[in-house]
């Protein structure tokens, strides 16, 4: 398990930071919010010349063949700069799900285009949203000869509008083990955009009413554990974005308290403020250890049980760091922290929204407890 | 509960219930912090309806147009009003803050000029204390007031911020520096100023909710009449602090009924969307309910406590306690809503308002940090912060 | 509901404080620990001339007829001064249980002697200790003609050794509704003292093996709700003792940080220390509001449901305050806070032990949640 | 994992397992913080057994009698040792602190005199830094060292406190003030002193556990030989700080395996006594397990980090992180034990030890408060505390 930030990794991180600090500053982010949640220019460059979508895709499928660790480094910067683009949906959610659970044919068909940044993709996971513990819930699959018929709805499909590929999870029975994945043609999807507090990560509701799909639309080969693996990887990548949110909240706030004077001194010289920020840093570093550790383990190749534990540690610890750091950013900015004009609320809303994606901390903890205590609870 | 209080409750309910079921139905449970920008005109009408029913300024002495209710009766009034969904009071700064201040410190002329409009719900007030460079350091007032030797009027230059409801108000009370070169608490003046005059500009502040109920108010040579100084020039700090003292009154129990209403909505939501099945959510809902019960006991202790002019421990800790309880309720609301909490259906729903707006509770009227300083120094007798050296990095 | 600390109440509190600060100082408490957990001299005076045992017992039974509020004021002082005597077991646990759940005959027989301080009493509640949600669990009652036969064990019976009256809860069936209360003669009880971390509140295990009791040993008239009421009152009185522990931890620590110098100034002048103590005070005041509020409500006469809620608020909030204050007392005393010689550990151990008596916070919260959400969970 | 490391693990396991199943069976999982007073003589024997097997000072260079293991190998050694229940190391202050200090700063004579006894497990060391009036203010040293002009020896007067294992040790290293009138970091000397000599008195401190593993050490004219000064007189602070730097070593991973063992015991207990059915306990157990996993990743980051002599963020936050994690584990242990946790069966069981002894984790080696200061100032660049005025109440 390799946790070293070697030169290659430092270069990846530095390049992402340089690009996003220029192309995803507060003004551009807010403009993207007004334009439906996508900064088209930033995304064109990220998917195109920067090649971020292919970083963790295997070389045989046209990617760079690096790991989740390197993807996490990009995601951390995306979090810091509130990137308004479908990087998460495409490269962190759809791609690893395909890579883990897709058939050879599906992978060969889709991954090269994803790696090349030619397609944007997303996943419609369940009626409860991006809940890894309810995959396929609310979407039912039937068969008619060789065709499949899909009926149901999925909520909170991220960056669904405009996606070239929507992967839909659907069940043949109530049993989660019966879940299958399908590629939905863009014209078959009835998508209703949902207005969100976090305007930079738009979601939509997908409704299907007996939509007919040909046999080749089926992406998986029936291995439920592989779907769990793909989603665990996605959870780690999302945790990396939470880490970036947390880090930026800390940095913004440190800068503010050094600047802002009260009672004749910078408020950052008050010990209570110092300690609050120090506690925030402890949580940020814990999140970084959790995310980097989980990504490195996933890259090293671990058992499904260990991967679940890795995802649980990354997601719960990064969620906690992001929520705490965003809360403290608002609090320590004082009155202006509460305004639309200053940035803390953007981080605050996103951190909260993400905390419900790919498993809440409560749900992950119960999953871990059940393993630890070897019972089903 | 005494018969008298019971009959007051019944009288209020009899008056309130049909109105909130009928003509004023859309106002039920509306207004108040986080929802102050809603239905401005209708809520002003409501204030006048309240006045016609004799339900405004119920704690004021009868000679000033009030109802002269006892503390216990006021508690009952505020609780019952909020319990039945009475709308957030547009007139609360007049009724709760400047009115009592004028009754205590105003001249007879000031009382005659201003109190009737507050009682009748025809003149609305806002508060001009905070300044952009002051924040928690309330005494760091830079707004200047200069007296015109000819007219005796005061010309005011400067800026106030976080002024709630300024855009709906007629008057503002302003803390300004009237002795050039003075610092801190000294040399301040307490002025009453008309908002609709040249040299006053009101700019709404857009909050993280996307709505605006706070404002910046800019003064560029606007006038306060000679007769509209409360206390003597130079006494501004004393008046301002006394006014804040009126804030910790019985109306806190009304606020708690609002909280109870929010908690009720939250419990209903948790039952409907299945969050009530999550053990951690169950425990937090129970903790919230028990915490609210404790806040109520705390407020009752404040009222039962010795009336010796001192802030006792339960009073000193109350702001910190309720604001952090409420912020945590807001977080719990977001967690109960789950992913749907991020979705907006037209406008923010009540629980989203609570979630977002409660972020301000631990900031305004003394941040958490200031409250803890106050508790440590005033209640526990711990030393004040040492003053910094010239070079605090040294 | 009367929360006013009127002159009578101030007098009660002041007298208790005066007595205990003189008769239950650290040296006397430690001597009592070495002597089996009872300060015989203090107890003689408390039960005798001071008459604390009768304060909340009705006048018709020889008590002063004051309320739980006044008893709570005494308990608060007992907590502050770590009283090593069976005041809680006798006056706060056995007496209200008898008063609420006892038959007329039982009350007339026992309460006057308890009120007069002539008897010490305690309650053996269940095999899980003083758990109000498991009353009678582990102790079975059978009938043989008019007699009763008791078999089973109860753990953590407070101040059982030397008690004149041990009230035993036992069930006729597995059903908690079948619980009955019995007066156990001192010579019938097999008591095994258990060594405890909190040496000032000794407990014992009670084992009965077919002990035969006459009909008149039965104390209750079969009203399970009355038993719950009695135990809810006991929980409020115990919460008052936790409040006292919390308060004294705060006071001890404030005194210490004003005295102790580091870096050329009293450590109490550091803002981080000030804020920690201010937070402790907020919790102590919350505990006081909870305990006084609950006691005043109980005295005002409220429904069983409301009493349960009152007990839940007092117990959970006071537990939290005591545990937090004791933790911070150790922490802010630094190295010496960790020694046997200084007092913080005495409070720490007691606060932890009490947190498991009469319902843990977790158990109370789930009870409240079930009511709030109207389900059984 | 490389083949080399795997074979090291196997070699250690093959050596350790039969011994911990046989002759040294009673030492399995014993010793270490919270249990240091247990089985002193047996653990000294164990240190010598380790030495005979070539398992002492494995990270030291071979020329000083060590095994010259790489960082990765040392990690594997410490993890495997702790995982198999290897007893708490009586020699860890010699091996981990003073040994590396002497290797870095000692004279050849000092190295020849002291290192072999450490490697062989025949001479044991303790640490004389803290003083009763210093606490977190480590530089506030009042112990005095005066040089005898005739012999060159130093006579020491003063008192040290919180000296772990002094009663089991042969030598102590002492930070003392050698320049009268000097203050703070300046004018200090780093001395090596024999404990068994006139003018040294060791008094055990009874802890809240009822046991004693810390001591007070009193010096009343005891002697440090002229040749037993490390560095130059006046360089004491530099040496002392460098020594503390060695503390954050790979052995932290061994500590984590102890934690893992404690967590395992706790999980077993929860399953047996039914606490595992309580949702809040389940969540806390899961959180503890995940937290430990994060501590491990944190330690691995520390080792993978740039070796540029700086303390990076993950290293600066580590003490705060692990000590608070462990204190919370202790609290969880008490809550899992429930009312039975208050009952002592002969001596404290392991979980009771964890509960009580973990209280010291957030106090020794830099309290929580000091750690947060360090993080705020060194990692975040926030200003240092302003110096107080003469009258801090002013």
């Amino acid at each position: 398990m390799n946790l070293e930030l070697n030169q290659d990794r430092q270069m990846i991180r530095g390049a992402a930071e340089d690009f996003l600090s220029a192309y995803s500053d507060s003004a551009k982010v807010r403009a993207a919010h007004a334009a439906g949640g996508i900064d088209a220019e930033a995304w064109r460059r990220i998917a195109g010349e920067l090649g971020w979508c292919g970083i963790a895709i295997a070389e045989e499928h046209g990617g760079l063949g690096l790991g989740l660790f390197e993807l996490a480094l990009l995601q951390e910067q995306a979090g810091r700069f509130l990137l308004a683009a479908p990087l998460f949906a495409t490269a962190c959610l759809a791609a690893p799900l395909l890579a883990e659970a897709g058939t050879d044919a599906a992978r060969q068909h889709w991954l090269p285009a994803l790696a090349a940044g030619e397609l944007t993709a997303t996943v419609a996971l369940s009626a409860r949203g991006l809940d890894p513990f309810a995959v396929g819930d609310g979407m039912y699959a039937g068969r008619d000869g060789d065709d499949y018929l899909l009926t149901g709805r999925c909520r909170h499909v991220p960056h669904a509008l405009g996606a070239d590929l929507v992967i839909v999870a659907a069940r043949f029975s109530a049993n989660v083990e019966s879940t299958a994945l399908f590629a939905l043609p863009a014209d078959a999807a009835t998508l209703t955009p949902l207005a969100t507090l976090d305007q930079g990560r738009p979601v939509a509701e997908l409704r299907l009413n007996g939509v007919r799909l040909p046999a080749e639309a089926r992406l998986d080969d029936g291995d439920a554990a592989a779907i769990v693996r793909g989603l665990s990887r996605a959870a780690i990548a999302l945790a990396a974005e939470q880490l970036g949110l947390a880090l930026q909240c800390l940095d913004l706030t440190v800068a503010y308290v050094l600047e802002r004077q009260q009672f004749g001194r910078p408020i950052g010289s008050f010990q209570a403020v110092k300690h609050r920020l120090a506690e925030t840093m402890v949580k940020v570093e814990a999140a970084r250890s959790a995310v980097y550790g989980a990504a490195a383990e996933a890259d090293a190749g671990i058992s499904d049980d260990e991967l679940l534990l890795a995802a649980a540690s990354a997601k719960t610890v990064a969620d906690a760091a992001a929520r705490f750091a965003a809360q403290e950013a608002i609090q320590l900015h004082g009155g202006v922290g509460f305004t639309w004009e200053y940035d803390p609320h953007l981080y605050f809303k996103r951190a909260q929204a993400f905390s419900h994606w790919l498993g809440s901390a409560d749900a992950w903890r119960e999953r871990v407890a059940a393993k630890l205590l070897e019972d089903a609870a | 509960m005494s018969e008298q209080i019971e009959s007051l409750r019944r009288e209020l309910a009899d008056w309130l219930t049909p109105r909130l079921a009928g003509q004023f139905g859309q106002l039920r449970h509306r207004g108040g912090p986080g929802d102050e920008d809603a239905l401005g005109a209708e809520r002003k009408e409501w204030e006048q309806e309240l006045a016609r029913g004799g339900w405004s300024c119920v704690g004021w002495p009868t000679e000033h147009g009030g109802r002269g209710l006892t503390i216990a009766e006021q508690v009952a009034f505020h609780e019952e009003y909020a319990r039945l969904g009475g709308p957030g009071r547009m007139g609360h700064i007049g009724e709760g803050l400047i009115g009592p201040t004028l009754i205590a410190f105003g001249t007879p002329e000031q009382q005659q000029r201003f109190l009737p409009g507050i009682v009748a719900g025809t003149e609305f007030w806002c508060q001009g204390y905070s300044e952009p460079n002051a924040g928690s350091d309330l005494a760091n007032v830079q707004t200047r007031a200069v007296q015109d030797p000819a007219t005796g009027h005061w010309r005011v230059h400067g800026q106030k911020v976080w002024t709630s409801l300024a855009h709906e108000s007629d008057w503002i009370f302003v803390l300004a520096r009237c002795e050039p070169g003075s610092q801190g608490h000294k040399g301040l003046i307490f002025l009453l100023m008309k908002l609709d005059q040249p040299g006053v500009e009101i700019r709404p502040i857009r909050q993280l909710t996307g709505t605006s109920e706070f404002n910046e108010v800019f003064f560029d040579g606007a006038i306060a009449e000679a007769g509209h100084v409360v206390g003597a020039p130079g006494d501004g700090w004393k008046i301002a602090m006394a006014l804040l003292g009126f804030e910790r009154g019985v109306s806190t129990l009304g606020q708690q009924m609002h909280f109870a209403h929010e908690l009720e909505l939250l419990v209903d939501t948790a039952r409907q969307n299945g969050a009530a099945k999550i053990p951690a959510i169950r425990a937090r809902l129970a903790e919230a309910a028990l915490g609210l019960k404790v806040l109520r006991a705390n407020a009752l202790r404040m009222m039962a406590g010795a009336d010796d002019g001192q802030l006792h421990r339960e009073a000193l800790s109350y702001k910190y306690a309720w604001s952090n309880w409420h912020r945590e309720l807001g977080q719990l609301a977001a967690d109960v809503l789950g992913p749907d909490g991020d979705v907006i259906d037209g406008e923010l729903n009540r629980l989203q308002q609570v979630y977002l707006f409660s972020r301000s509770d631990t900031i305004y009227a003394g941040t958490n940090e200031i409250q803890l300083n106050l508790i440590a120094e005033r209640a526990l007798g711990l030393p004040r912060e040492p003053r910094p050296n010239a070079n605090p990095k040294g």
Side-chain angles (χ1 to χ4, degrees), chain A residues 59 98 102 155 186 194 248 267 313:
Chain A
E59 286 176 285
L98 272 169
R155 298 262 292 171
L194 304 173
Q248 194 72 355
I267 60 176
S313 71

Side-chain angles (χ1 to χ4, degrees), chain A residues 162-235:
Chain A
D164 302 297
L165 166 65
V166 177
I167 299 174
V168 181
R171 295 187 189 172
F172 292 102
S173 72
N175 187 344
V176 65
E177 299 288 327
S178 75
T179 303
L181 302 175
F182 298 91
L184 195 70
D187 58 359
T190 315
L191 289 166
T192 313
L194 304 173
T196 47
L197 291 176
D198 174 6
Q199 297 179 292
R201 198 54 54 97
V203 300
E205 178 172 321
L206 170 72
R207 281 180 185 277
L208 300 179
N209 192 359
V211 166
R212 179 177 295 270
L213 297 176
E216 56 272 26
R218 171 113 188 232
L219 298 170
D220 69 302
D221 58 6
D223 178 1
I227 295 178
V228 173
R229 277 200 302 277
L231 295 175
S232 292
R233 287 176 165 267

Side-chain angles (χ1 to χ4, degrees), chain A residues 128 155-156 194-198 201 203 258 260-266 269-270 272-273 276 323 327-328 330-332 334-341 345 348-349 352-353 355-357 362, chain B residues 132-137 162 205-210 214 278 280-281 327 331 334-335 338-344 348 352 355-357 359-360 362-363 367-370 385-386 388 392-393:
Chain A
R128 290 198 254 160
R155 298 262 292 171
H156 307 289
L194 304 173
T196 47
L197 291 176
D198 174 6
R201 198 54 54 97
V203 300
L258 284 170
R260 172 81 172 165
Q261 302 269 330
Q262 291 207 312
F263 304 100
R265 48 193 270 207
S269 71
F270 285 97
V273 172
R276 200 72 61 81
R323 283 163 50 145
Q327 167 181 297
E328 291 308 313
I330 290 178
Q331 178 70 27
L332 293 176
V336 301
F338 184 64
T339 60
W340 190 269
E341 183 189 351
H345 74 101
F348 180 71
K349 290 168 182 169
Q352 175 66 26
S355 77
H356 296 291
W357 288 20
D362 287 337
Chain B
N133 292 315
S136 292
D137 188 4
W162 311 120
I205 297 173
R206 194 173 182 204
Q207 302 147 195
L208 52 72
T209 47
F214 295 123
I278 302 167
I281 296 286
R327 189 174 73 170
Q331 182 61 59
D335 292 342
D340 286 339
D342 192 41
V343 175
I344 311 167
L348 297 182
Q352 288 171 323
Y355 165 54
L356 290 174
F357 203 82
R359 299 290 130 184
S360 71
T362 55
I363 295 173
T367 62
N368 270 352
E369 292 70 28
I370 294 291
E385 285 298 291
K393 302 228 181 199

Side-chain angles (χ1 to χ4, degrees), chain B residues 87-294:
Chain B
R89 294 290 310 278
M90 189 76 98
H92 71 93
I93 294 177
E95 173 170 333
L97 296 179
I98 191 64
T101 304
L102 291 175
I103 291 172
F105 300 102
T107 63
E109 293 74 23
Q110 289 169 348
Q111 293 175 350
Q112 281 156 29
R113 166 65 189 84
F114 293 113
L115 298 183
I118 295 173
V119 172
T122 52
E123 279 188 339
F124 296 93
W125 284 82
C126 63
Q127 168 171 325
Y129 276 9
S130 296
E131 300 195 2
N133 292 315
S136 292
D137 188 4
L138 200 58
N140 185 11
V141 170
Q142 292 176 20
T143 296
R144 291 163 294 123
V146 180
Q147 194 167 26
D148 181 336
T151 60
H153 296 340
W154 297 81
R155 280 205 180 270
V156 178
H157 290 267
Q159 180 186 354
K160 295 291 177 182
V161 74
W162 311 120
T163 305
S164 185
L165 288 172
H167 56 299
E168 297 280 3
S169 296
D170 307 290
W171 288 83
I172 184 170
F173 49 89
V174 172
L175 196 59
R177 195 161 295 286
C178 63
E179 296 173 14
S182 64
Q183 283 202 327
H185 306 171
K186 290 178 188 156
L188 298 176
I189 190 169
F190 192 104
L191 297 167
L192 311 176
M193 299 179 68
K194 211 169 171 34
L195 282 164
D196 182 14
Q197 64 163 310
V200 173
E201 190 190 345
I202 297 170
R203 290 186 205 152
I205 297 173
R206 194 173 182 204
Q207 302 147 195
L208 52 72
T209 47
T211 58
S212 300
E213 54 202 63
F214 295 123
N215 300 272
E216 295 176 291
V217 181
F218 295 83
F219 300 99
D220 183 16
I223 281 175
E225 290 183 23
H228 291 171
V229 180
V230 183
D235 280 356
W237 185 255
K238 189 188 80 183
I239 306 292
M241 289 300 101
L243 178 140
L244 289 182
F246 296 122
E247 212 169 19
R248 294 188 180 81
V250 291
S251 67
T252 196
L253 286 164
Q255 185 196 35
Q256 289 180 13
M257 299 307 288
H258 282 294
F259 292 168
H261 174 65
E262 293 166 0
L263 181 58
E264 213 172 280
L265 284 176
L266 189 52
V267 166
D268 285 348
T269 302
R271 291 170 61 182
Q272 280 160 27
N273 77 1
K277 293 200 191 76
I278 302 167
I281 296 286
R282 297 174 70 79
R284 288 167 70 194
L285 285 169
E287 201 168 4
L290 295 173
L292 184 55
K293 191 170 167 56
V294 173

